[in-house]
């Protein structure tokens, strides 16, 4: 037996994977948001400090006057772990005040934009300076005095330790929040999974606690999604109960039917041993042979019925040529019928296909035709005819094939027609040898193929067995 997979474990694994993916996505988004937020916040500090410096630069008598405010440095000193650098330069790259070795200043871009006589937008860039990573901002200011003008550039930089620390703290808070969310969600989902799987556990418990002989329907309340499962289980148990009842009844009847001829055989054999008259002993031996043949026929039919019962549940239908199947069966029985001085005549000319089980249909045809031959008078004829017709059903054409097997025997009275399909039933007026299960098997096969099974009176005497099949096209195989 292969190892089964736990549904609860599969749900937990899938839930864990989904939550892990969502949590990772949330942490990745939080990381991006933290870096962006801290970058914007500290860039604003840089911009504020550079703007204060630019506002205190003037042009007096053609000379640039710089009065750096303390407030600008106080703004940068809000982060105690960072260091600040600044430089004020003119368009000739001359440092008017501040650090003279600030790195990677984009002078070509500054000169190009200053020549357009438009204010230069704040320009941010990062570079390594004195062993640390520094974020810089560059502002330009145009100084005017009478007919003179000059442009100066304010460059302010700040190390990035504080902003990295702030982003790390934000990420840690996000990690803590996501971890708590993950744990709480997993616990809630564990409860939900347990709650959802409870009906399955109740079904298991209801089946486990009942007796092995109790095949009654389960009466438990389950969600609508699981109701079809309970319905399928109830249907299966009903089918199993019906099969077991039929098997029990059939076994009892079969045992009786076999036990009776066996007892007769023993009695006749004992009488034959004790009989002194040779002629009478010969008659007794002939009776033994006849009883043995009847017993063999009964056992064969019982075995065939057991085989058919198994095939009904295990063999799918296939596309068959019904007319060819009937002809083959007639050919197989024609010699046997002639030995009994009865002719089998196939008078049908229809050709049609059906979905069915070839073995089961042959057993059905054998039983019906053998039964017709058995009850036919000497030099009689058993007619086998296949006809097709189309009938309108639900505003659509449904092709049907009708098989008739007609004999010229004594027929069956209306009272016996009510019981003729019961196992081992034999009429009180029936003098022919037989087991009484042939027509019962034939009707079961017809019903398994969704075919209608009818008994009609033949004229002037005899019985007509009529079976109506539904035909199919080859394209519907």
């Amino acid at each position: 037996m292969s190892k089964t997979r736990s549904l609860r474990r599969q749900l937990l694994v899938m839930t864990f994977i989904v939550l892990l993916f969502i949590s990772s996505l949330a942490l990745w988004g939080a990381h991006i948001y933290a870096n962006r937020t801290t970058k914007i916040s500290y860039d604003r500090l840089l911009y504020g400090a550079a703007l204060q410096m630019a506002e205190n630069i003037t042009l007096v008598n053609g000379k640039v006057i710089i009065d750096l405010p303390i407030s600008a440095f106080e703004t940068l000193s809000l982060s105690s772990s960072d260091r600040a650098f600044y430089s004020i330069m003119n368009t000739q790259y001359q440092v008017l005040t501040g650090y003279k070795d600030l790195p990677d200043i984009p002078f070509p871009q500054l000169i190009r934009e200053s020549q357009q006589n438009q204010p230069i937008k704040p320009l941010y860039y990062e570079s390594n300076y004195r062993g640390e990573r520094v974020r810089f901002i560059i502002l330009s200011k145009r100084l005017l005095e009478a007919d003179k003008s000059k442009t100066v550039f304010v460059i302010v930089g700040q190390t990035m330790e504080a902003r990295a620390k702030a982003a790390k703290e934000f990420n840690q808070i996000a990690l803590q929040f996501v971890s708590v969310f993950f744990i709480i969600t997993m616990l809630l989902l564990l409860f939900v999974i347990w709650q959802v799987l409870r009906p399955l556990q109740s079904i298991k418990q209801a089946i486990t606690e009942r007796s092995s002989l109790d095949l009654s329907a389960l009466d438990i309340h389950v969600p609508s999604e699981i109701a079809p499962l309970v319905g399928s289980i109830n249907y299966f148990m009903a089918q199993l109960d019906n099969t077991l009842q039929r098997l029990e009844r059939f076994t009892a009847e079969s045992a009786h039917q076999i036990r009776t001829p066996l007892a007769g055989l023993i009695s006749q054999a004992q009488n034959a041993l004790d009989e002194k008259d040779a002629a009478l002993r010969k008659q007794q031996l002939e009776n033994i042979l006849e009883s043995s043949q009847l017993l063999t026929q009964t056992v064969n039919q019982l075995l065939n019925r057991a085989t058919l019962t198994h095939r009904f549940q295990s063999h799918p239908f296939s596309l068959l040529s019904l007319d060819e199947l009937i002809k083959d069966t007639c050919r197989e029985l024609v010699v046997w019928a002639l030995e009994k001085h009865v002719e089998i005549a196939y008078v049908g000319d229809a050709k049609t296909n059906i979905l069915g089980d070839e073995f089961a249909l042959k057993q059905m045809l054998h039983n019906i035709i053998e039964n017709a031959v058995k009850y036919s008078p000497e030099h009689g004829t058993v007619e086998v005819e296949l006809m097709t017709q189309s009938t309108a059903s639900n505003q659509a054409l449904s092709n049907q094939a009708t098989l008739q097997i007609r004999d010229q025997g004594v027929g069956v009275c209306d009272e016996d027609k009510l019981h003729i399909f019961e196992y081992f039933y034999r009429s009180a007026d029936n003098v022919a040898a037989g087991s009484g299960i042939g027509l019962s098997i034939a009707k079961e096969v017809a019903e398994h193929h969704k075919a209608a099974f009818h008994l009609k009176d033949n004229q002037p005497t005899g019985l007509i067995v009529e079976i109506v099949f539904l035909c199919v096209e080859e394209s519907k195989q």
Side-chain angles (χ1 to χ4, degrees), residues 457-471:
D457 293 327
N458 198 8
Q459 299 299 330
T461 61
L463 180 69
I464 299 176
V465 178
E466 182 180 87
I467 309 170
V468 182
F469 296 92
L470 291 178
C471 305

Side-chain angles (χ1 to χ4, degrees), residues 320-324 326 346-354 384-391 398-404 406 466-473:
L320 303 173
S321 174
L322 182 59
D323 53 297
E324 292 298 328
I326 297 172
Y346 181 79
V347 298
D349 58 357
K351 297 183 181 297
T352 185
N353 297 317
I354 65 169
V384 181
E385 182 176 8
L386 180 64
M387 302 166 284
T388 58
Q389 59 183 344
S390 297
T391 61
S398 174
N399 293 326
Q400 293 183 343
T402 302
L403 170 65
Q404 286 190 350
R406 301 184 289 265
E466 182 180 87
I467 309 170
V468 182
F469 296 92
L470 291 178
C471 305
V472 295
E473 301 294 335

Side-chain angles (χ1 to χ4, degrees), residues 8 11-12 15-16 19 178-196:
R8 180 181 285 104
L11 288 174
L12 286 176
T15 301
F16 178 82
L19 275 180
V178 171
S179 299
V180 172
F181 169 80
F182 183 89
I183 294 173
I184 293 176
T185 305
M186 276 298 298
L187 292 176
L188 291 175
L189 287 174
L190 283 173
F191 173 77
V192 170
I193 292 173
W194 174 78
Q195 193 72 15
V196 168

Side-chain angles (χ1 to χ4, degrees), residues 21 74 243 441:
F21 174 76
E74 289 177 347
T243 301
I441 294 175

Side-chain angles (χ1 to χ4, degrees), residues 153-432:
F153 302 108
V154 179
I155 305 172
V156 181
Q158 185 182 33
T159 56
M160 303 176 65
E161 183 179 349
R163 66 176 68 200
K165 184 178 179 181
K168 182 179 179 181
E169 291 176 355
F170 191 92
N171 287 328
Q172 288 178 345
I173 294 174
L175 177 62
Q176 293 172 359
F177 174 79
V178 171
S179 299
V180 172
F181 169 80
F182 183 89
I183 294 173
I184 293 176
T185 305
M186 276 298 298
L187 292 176
L188 291 175
L189 287 174
L190 283 173
F191 173 77
V192 170
I193 292 173
W194 174 78
Q195 193 72 15
V196 168
L197 295 180
R198 280 186 65 188
L200 296 178
Q201 187 67 24
S202 64
I203 295 175
K204 172 191 172 184
Q205 186 174 359
I207 296 176
T208 304
E209 292 179 351
R210 63 169 48 197
S211 168
S212 59
L213 302 177
D214 184 5
L215 296 175
S216 59
L218 295 174
D219 185 17
I220 54 178
H221 298 287
V222 294
S224 58
E225 291 80 6
I226 303 180
L229 173 62
V230 177
S232 298
I233 294 175
N234 288 337
Y235 174 77
F236 171 77
M237 290 197 297
Q239 292 290 98
L240 179 60
D241 186 47
N242 182 51
T243 301
L244 291 176
Q245 289 181 4
R246 291 174 60 187
L247 178 62
E248 182 179 2
R249 183 170 61 252
F250 185 77
T251 302
E253 294 174 348
S254 301
H256 173 72
Q257 294 296 324
I258 294 175
R259 191 181 295 116
T260 300
L262 281 177
L265 281 173
I266 294 173
S267 176
Q268 293 177 41
Q270 186 64 45
N271 292 336
L273 287 174
D274 298 337
E275 184 60 51
K276 304 300 183 181
D277 188 344
L280 189 57
R281 184 186 303 113
K282 180 180 179 181
Q283 180 62 41
Q284 290 173 337
L285 290 175
E286 289 177 351
N287 292 339
I288 292 175
L289 179 61
E290 182 179 353
S291 298
S292 299
Q293 292 173 343
L294 177 60
L295 180 60
T296 300
Q297 180 185 1
T298 301
V299 171
N300 287 336
Q301 288 189 326
L302 291 175
L303 293 175
N304 286 338
R305 184 184 181 277
T307 302
L308 290 174
T309 301
H310 171 70
R311 292 183 70 90
F312 289 167
Q313 299 177 352
S314 60
H315 282 67
F317 286 169
S318 59
L319 190 67
L320 303 173
S321 174
L322 182 59
D323 53 297
E324 292 298 328
L325 183 65
I326 297 172
K327 291 177 184 177
D328 290 343
T329 306
C330 291
R331 294 189 189 100
E332 293 172 2
L333 294 174
V334 67
V335 175
W336 170 81
L338 290 175
E339 292 175 352
K340 296 184 177 295
H341 308 290
V342 177
E343 181 181 354
I344 298 176
Y346 181 79
V347 298
D349 58 357
K351 297 183 181 297
T352 185
N353 297 317
I354 65 169
L355 288 175
D357 182 344
E358 181 178 359
F359 176 83
L361 289 171
K362 273 204 169 186
Q363 291 298 317
M364 178 191 73
L365 293 171
H366 265 275
N367 287 340
I368 297 174
I369 296 175
E370 286 176 355
N371 195 71
V373 170
K374 185 188 304 181
Y375 290 98
S376 293
E378 283 194 11
H379 309 296
T381 301
V382 174
E383 294 182 339
V384 181
E385 182 176 8
L386 180 64
M387 302 166 284
T388 58
Q389 59 183 344
S390 297
T391 61
S393 176
N394 296 329
Q395 299 180 349
L397 287 179
S398 174
N399 293 326
Q400 293 183 343
T402 302
L403 170 65
Q404 286 190 350
I405 300 174
R406 301 184 289 265
D407 65 56
Q408 300 168 347
V410 296
V412 178
C413 65
D414 292 339
E415 182 181 353
D416 286 340
K417 287 177 182 176
L418 300 175
H419 305 283
I420 197 171
F421 297 115
E422 296 177 4
Y423 282 106
F424 306 112
Y425 175 79
R426 292 180 59 78
S427 172
D429 300 330
N430 193 343
V431 296

Side-chain angles (χ1 to χ4, degrees), residues 72-189:
F73 296 98
E74 289 177 347
T75 299
L76 296 176
S77 66
L78 292 175
S79 175
S80 58
S81 59
D82 280 333
R83 293 190 299 156
F85 311 97
Y86 74 95
S87 181
I88 300 175
M89 309 174 66
N90 57 22
T91 55
Q92 284 75 37
Y93 314 144
Q94 294 177 345
V95 177
L96 304 179
T97 183
Y99 293 82
K100 300 182 183 297
D101 56 348
L102 295 182
D104 302 331
I105 301 175
F107 288 111
Q109 181 179 351
L110 295 176
I111 298 301
R112 184 172 59 255
E113 294 185 5
S114 65
Q115 291 175 349
Q116 296 177 357
N117 295 324
Q118 293 182 357
I120 300 177
K121 296 180 180 179
L123 177 62
Y124 294 93
Y125 70 96
E126 295 178 11
S127 182
N128 293 322
Y129 182 59
R130 298 190 178 183
E132 296 183 82
R133 195 67 177 170
V134 181
R135 176 95 169 157
F136 291 97
I137 183 175
I138 302 177
L139 288 181
S140 68
K141 183 176 181 180
R142 192 174 182 80
L143 306 177
L144 301 174
E145 182 188 26
D147 57 348
K148 298 179 182 180
S149 67
K150 288 187 179 182
T151 299
V152 294
F153 302 108
V154 179
I155 305 172
V156 181
Q158 185 182 33
T159 56
M160 303 176 65
E161 183 179 349
R163 66 176 68 200
K165 184 178 179 181
K168 182 179 179 181
E169 291 176 355
F170 191 92
N171 287 328
Q172 288 178 345
I173 294 174
L175 177 62
Q176 293 172 359
F177 174 79
V178 171
S179 299
V180 172
F181 169 80
F182 183 89
I183 294 173
I184 293 176
T185 305
M186 276 298 298
L187 292 176
L188 291 175
L189 287 174

